[in-house]
Amino acid sequence: MDDAYNVQVTAGESQDVDGLEQMMALKEADTFVVADIWGDMKGGADGLFDRDTRLLSRFVMTAGLARPSRLSSGISQDNVFFTAHSTNRPLPPMGGRSAPAGVIHIERRRFVRDRRMFERVRMVNHGVEDVLLPVAFDFAADFADIFEVRGSPRGKRGTQEPPTADGRRVTFEYHGVDGKSRSSCLAFSEPPARLTASRAEFMFSLPKGRTCDLYIECGVGPCEAPDEARFRLYAVQARVAMRTRRRRGASIRGPRNPRFNDWLDQSRADVALLTTDLPTGPYPYAGVPWFSTPFGRDGIITAWQMLWLDPSLAKGVLTYLAARQATEFSAFQDSAPGKIMHETRAGEMSALGEVPFGLYYGGVDTTCLFVALAGAYLKRTGDLTTIRALWPNLLAAVGWMKDHGDINGDGLISYQRAAETGLSNQGWKDSEDSIFHRDGRFPKGPVALLEVQGYAFAAWEAMADMARLIGDERQAEWAARAGDTRALVEERFWMEDEQFYAIALDGDGKQCRSIGSNAGHLLFTGLPSRERARAVTKRMLGAEFRSGWGLRTLATGQARFNPMSYHNGSVWPHDTAMAAAGMAQYGERRAVALLLGEIYAAATHFEMRLPELFCGFERNPGEPPIAYPVACLPQAWAAGSVFLMLQAALGVRIDAIERVVEIDRPLLPSGIDRLNLNRLRVGEGEVDLTFQQIGADTVVMPRRRDGPVSVRTLG
């Protein structure tokens, strides 16, 4: 993600790193909550957020004047509920008697719906005597912008009104420097014995064997009165909405491997959690907590990972990004006509221009990826209606590639930030130290990244393919540009002595001869010759890249290699997945199965939820992968990685225009002997397929076929 974010969180939140590893997140639309494993928020990097503003910054529960003893906690597999189970510590004497520890079960159950957090605190007395249980909640609302929470300093803040307490509720209000007023409300189903602007105190009488429930709501004000009926109603709505998102498109499962199925289920649930249904269609937000917003690059790649199973994501992403395509020049926004958005934010700091991310275009690769995804979407769906509607946007995008993306006039797409407030590096490895020469020096700009040229090649090819179906006469021109891009990359980026591609060219056209995983993305686009693809694959499968848990972003021995860094030696699941899918295009099915097995092994140590990244230390027997302390979890393109890798391993190619599913030399990952692919929609037809391991071979068997779709096996 953005280098500005990464630097600030590692500097500003270092004191809370251990806590961040244990944060629990829930999301619905533009609202999310981050809390610790007890369910508490302490005013650090946690809280209840809506549209990039923190509505609740502190919410800490005590029972009997102390934090309860935690028994267990976690997120439900469908990502709807957070539940924490705990029990009381010894209670203070009440009426001459005190209850011992461990007699009261306390359950906190929470979900997010309709721009608010719903919580039920259930207390059950399992002791042999009646108990008086004092419970208290300390709370606060600071209305901090998400960039403020991340560590960005502000010269001026708005005015916060004193909270007002009224019976069972407290209302918070903030008048921003941007002229907008923001309010939130915290309400309880029972009147507290004492309620102030920052604390609610209760005294619950719990007869032995009895249960008592307290319902709580917090969100955009004003508050309704919480009760059991509202909790149940909105819980059902939240679960139904999540189920609807999870069931879009085709499904894939392995019937005899529960752990592998758990990974598939968790990954699909994470993509569903992060997907927000916008007026333009579903859009996968990048990640919780820091990137719960539409990102161009992340949305496109996640949609591409899921394209074979659920094309609706790609349509939603393309339509949303087209509606926000740049039409003018702005150094602050790093925009130019035709460029596709990198990021959008809704908070006060973005609205005031304190940060440029309200609508920011500083991603050099997003425009090329937008065009390439459109071509892949058309082939997958045959949806000419959508492509025709997007055609002016696609023409504007390739116009940017030709007129503004080629800064050096050498036929390559390059970048140099237009303002100091923007990102210094503008590819997917956007931390400030991720692009460098062999000796560690940073390159002078404008910089032409290796993988971006691959995306441009894929974009020109996609335009040529779409033009043939649309009837645009420029088909030959765009095909020629694809060929020219391929020739330039092979000539200028290839390092014969390394048998590998340089990570970038600097502003003087000199190679940045670092050895990085960017070459795997080039394989994904199909640009390299078969001979060079084999050389790249061989090196990427060697020990300098393979950690045993996936591929490192930078080869060991490079000048800035650090397995604990953000981009210089860590493992990003989506990066490994794209490299694996690229290898598969050149027939390397066993390499894909190998890497899929490694990523699966890593997932088993992360409770089947892959983080944004983890450290690139070498895998040792009996030891887990080492977490990166402030990685987003969940994160969209990490969750989508398993599906891209499975498509690559199974050799599935779908052409809805020809109404055919091609299966090219499928290979199941180790330990998986059967996979069922159900409800695969191809044009007006639908098919169910089973992939079965028989001896040394994997065979595919159609189980059901409706409508005009054929299955063709190759090899």
Side-chain angles (χ1 to χ4, degrees):
M1 291 294 180
D2 301 341
D3 57 343
Y5 303 156
N6 185 44
V7 170
Q8 287 164 5
V9 77
T10 52
E13 299 297 341
S14 59
Q15 76 278 9
D16 197 36
V17 162
D18 291 337
L20 280 172
E21 291 183 44
Q22 295 295 313
M23 286 299 184
M24 300 285 181
L26 297 172
K27 172 192 171 294
E28 204 256 354
D30 290 308
T31 306
F32 68 90
V33 60
V34 181
D36 67 15
I37 53 180
W38 276 265
D40 291 337
M41 309 165 212
K42 298 179 180 178
D46 48 8
L48 172 65
F49 295 79
D50 181 75
R51 299 180 182 177
D52 292 328
T53 298
R54 185 159 64 180
L55 302 182
L56 189 65
S57 53
R58 182 171 178 83
F59 191 61
V60 177
M61 183 185 119
T62 55
L65 309 181
R67 170 178 264 190
S69 297
R70 190 178 72 92
L71 302 173
S72 69
S73 58
I75 303 290
S76 60
Q77 192 176 57
D78 64 2
N79 285 327
V80 174
F81 297 103
F82 163 79
T83 305
H85 296 276
S86 60
T87 188
N88 66 294
R89 300 180 189 275
L91 297 179
M94 297 287 176
R97 293 181 301 177
S98 63
V103 298
I104 298 172
H105 174 220
I106 302 171
E107 178 197 78
R108 298 179 71 177
R109 189 165 175 82
R110 173 185 295 166
F111 64 93
V112 176
R113 179 70 178 171
D114 196 27
R115 302 183 70 187
R116 60 208 324 106
M117 178 186 78
F118 293 79
E119 182 165 330
R120 182 190 68 199
V121 181
R122 172 163 286 174
M123 297 152 282
V124 185
N125 183 0
H126 292 285
V128 296
E129 294 183 336
D130 299 348
V131 170
L132 287 175
L133 177 65
V135 172
F137 295 88
D138 291 295
F139 49 79
D142 62 2
F143 295 93
D145 185 280
I146 195 159
F147 289 98
E148 208 174 349
V149 177
R150 291 301 304 266
S152 294
R154 297 193 68 184
K156 182 180 180 181
R157 292 195 87 243
T159 302
Q160 190 158 346
E161 300 289 344
T164 58
D166 176 22
R168 305 179 186 185
R169 62 176 58 86
V170 179
T171 302
F172 311 92
E173 191 168 1
Y174 170 78
H175 305 292
V177 184
D178 61 355
K180 293 183 180 179
S181 293
R182 297 167 173 86
S183 66
S184 62
C185 184
L186 175 65
F188 302 93
S189 61
E190 300 292 330
R194 180 172 179 266
L195 179 63
T196 71
S198 61
R199 183 174 171 88
E201 297 176 354
F202 299 85
M203 182 64 71
F204 293 106
S205 176
L206 285 176
K208 59 183 180 180
R210 299 294 295 273
T211 298
C212 179
D213 289 340
L214 175 68
Y215 294 92
I216 305 167
E217 292 184 23
C218 183
V220 176
C223 281
E224 300 290 336
D227 58 25
E228 180 181 6
R230 282 179 57 82
F231 185 88
R232 288 182 177 275
L233 173 65
Y234 283 97
V236 168
Q237 290 180 3
R239 181 152 265 172
V240 169
M242 180 64 76
R243 185 181 301 128
T244 300
R245 291 195 296 271
R246 288 181 66 188
R247 291 182 176 178
R248 286 174 177 151
S251 68
I252 186 162
R253 292 184 65 78
R256 298 181 185 175
N257 191 310
R259 292 282 280 168
F260 193 76
N261 282 336
D262 287 344
W263 186 29
L264 296 177
D265 290 342
Q266 185 66 66
S267 299
R268 198 67 181 260
D270 285 352
V271 173
L273 172 73
L274 294 167
T275 297
T276 297
D277 290 319
L278 302 172
T280 47
Y283 200 107
Y285 285 9
V288 175
W290 308 121
F291 308 113
S292 187
T293 189
F295 274 76
R297 177 193 304 123
D298 297 66
I300 290 170
I301 290 178
T302 303
W304 208 323
Q305 292 171 329
M306 302 299 297
L307 181 60
W308 68 299
L309 297 173
D310 180 14
S312 72
L313 278 184
K315 182 177 179 179
V317 167
L318 291 167
T319 306
Y320 179 90
L321 294 176
R324 285 152 182 80
Q325 189 171 33
T327 58
E328 59 186 15
F329 293 98
S330 168
F332 184 66
Q333 293 179 301
D334 222 326
S335 67
K339 201 173 185 183
I340 296 298
M341 179 199 86
H342 169 67
E343 174 184 0
T344 184
R345 292 287 186 172
E348 182 184 12
M349 292 178 70
S350 296
L352 291 169
E354 295 177 31
V355 292
F357 304 111
L359 194 55
Y360 181 62
Y361 294 85
V364 69
D365 48 5
T366 310
T367 308
C368 303
L369 285 167
F370 171 79
V371 178
L373 177 64
Y377 171 78
L378 178 58
K379 187 170 185 179
R380 170 63 182 88
T381 64
D383 182 5
L384 276 168
T385 300
T386 296
I387 297 302
R388 285 194 176 100
L390 294 173
W391 198 242
N393 304 98
L394 293 166
L395 291 175
V398 294
W400 174 85
M401 290 169 60
K402 179 170 63 74
D403 299 332
H404 308 299
D406 183 6
I407 300 176
N408 290 323
D410 57 0
L412 299 172
I413 306 294
S414 55
Y415 69 90
Q416 186 166 22
R417 66 177 172 186
E420 287 300 312
T421 52
L423 302 178
S424 56
N425 281 320
Q426 298 190 355
W428 87 262
K429 294 180 180 178
D430 53 13
S431 51
E432 62 183 1
D433 63 349
S434 61
I435 307 300
F436 52 90
H437 284 284
R438 183 190 293 274
D439 60 4
R441 288 179 299 112
F442 295 135
K444 63 175 289 188
V447 174
L449 291 170
L450 171 67
E451 75 275 15
V452 175
Q453 314 318 313
Y455 304 153
F457 166 77
W460 294 123
E461 280 206 324
M463 284 300 288
D465 290 343
M466 289 186 287
R468 175 175 56 84
L469 296 168
I470 291 285
D472 192 300
E473 296 178 354
R474 287 163 285 190
Q475 176 187 354
E477 173 193 339
W478 291 321
R481 284 190 176 274
D484 292 344
T485 300
R486 168 178 267 157
L488 279 169
V489 172
E490 295 286 43
E491 175 189 350
R492 300 189 60 188
F493 285 82
W494 181 250
M495 300 182 292
E496 185 64 27
D497 57 332
E498 296 281 0
Q499 289 293 288
F500 209 77
Y501 291 95
I503 201 169
L505 301 182
D506 69 10
D508 294 325
K510 295 179 180 177
Q511 292 179 344
C512 297
R513 292 172 61 84
S514 302
I515 307 299
S517 65
N518 308 53
H521 293 234
L522 197 69
L523 297 180
F524 178 76
T525 67
L527 183 148
S529 67
R530 299 196 72 83
E531 179 183 358
R532 289 182 176 177
R534 283 194 294 270
V536 168
T537 297
K538 180 180 179 181
R539 188 155 187 185
M540 293 194 76
L541 292 177
E544 59 182 339
F545 274 107
R546 274 185 61 212
S547 68
W549 304 114
L551 298 175
R552 300 182 180 96
T553 49
L554 187 70
T556 57
Q558 299 301 296
R560 293 183 176 272
F561 175 78
N562 178 354
M564 301 175 290
S565 69
Y566 200 53
H567 287 127
N568 290 338
S570 54
V571 175
W572 289 63
H574 91 280
D575 185 44
T576 295
M578 291 185 75
M583 294 173 189
Q585 291 204 54
Y586 293 90
E588 294 285 351
R589 295 271 181 266
R590 296 194 179 280
V592 177
L594 176 71
L595 292 173
L596 177 57
E598 292 185 355
I599 291 290
Y600 170 49
T604 64
H605 291 282
F606 290 111
E607 299 181 351
M608 294 305 176
R609 170 180 270 177
L610 284 171
E612 176 187 18
L613 73 156
F614 47 90
C615 294
F617 291 106
E618 184 177 355
R619 181 176 180 176
N620 290 315
E623 297 182 11
I626 298 173
Y628 185 82
V630 289
C632 277
L633 189 69
Q635 209 249 9
W637 63 16
S641 296
V642 58
F643 302 109
L644 180 62
M645 297 180 83
L646 274 176
Q647 181 186 14
L650 298 175
V652 176
R653 290 195 292 263
I654 303 167
D655 189 335
I657 297 168
E658 298 295 330
R659 299 175 179 175
V660 63
V661 179
E662 287 187 349
I663 311 294
D664 184 8
R665 291 163 294 169
L667 190 66
L668 289 169
S670 177
I672 308 299
D673 61 2
R674 182 185 175 98
L675 283 175
N676 291 328
L677 177 60
N678 298 322
R679 305 190 319 274
L680 184 66
R681 191 80 180 170
V682 182
E684 297 302 315
E686 191 172 275
V687 65
D688 294 345
L689 303 174
T690 292
F691 296 84
Q692 178 73 51
Q693 189 73 31
I694 300 178
D697 299 319
T698 301
V699 299
V700 60
M701 299 171 287
R703 291 182 290 108
R704 180 184 65 87
R705 183 166 18 200
D706 293 331
V709 56
S710 61
V711 178
R712 183 187 306 157
T713 57
L714 306 177

